[in-house]
Amino acid sequence: WLCNRCNSIISAILKGLQSLNRPYKYAVAVVLMQKTGAGLCSAASTWWDASKDGFCKVMWGNGTMQCLVTVYGTHVNVDTPDDDE
């Protein structure tokens, strides 16, 4: 159940991002866990162009579960490279 739920969340997010028709490649990470009072630490290290690339993190929860969704977007250069002179 859990794997199917995470996959459906990822698919819905990617479908929505794809409909934006923007020059980005996306990576989506989902953490879905039972709410038991335990803590959750999440960290990421990136090496990218901070003026074009980025990420968005959303935390959601109810009485029994919590979900952390992180979307990373890296800009795809669609410009034609200049010819070397």
Side-chain angles (χ1 to χ4, degrees), residues 18-82:
Q18 186 179 19
S19 71
L20 298 175
N21 201 25
R22 303 287 310 265
Y24 285 88
K25 284 191 175 185
Y26 299 102
V28 180
V30 174
V31 176
L32 186 60
M33 60 187 276
Q34 182 179 3
K35 189 180 274 187
T36 61
L40 171 65
C41 294
S42 173
S45 178
T46 58
W47 187 48
W48 58 26
D49 183 349
S51 68
K52 295 180 181 178
D53 306 330
F55 76 99
C56 177
K57 182 170 51 172
V58 176
M59 185 76 159
W60 174 89
N62 63 16
T64 60
M65 67 174 63
Q66 54 193 19
C67 182
L68 173 64
V69 176
T70 309
V71 177
Y72 302 92
T74 56
H75 187 266
V76 178
N77 187 2
V78 294
D79 297 333
T80 307
D82 295 333

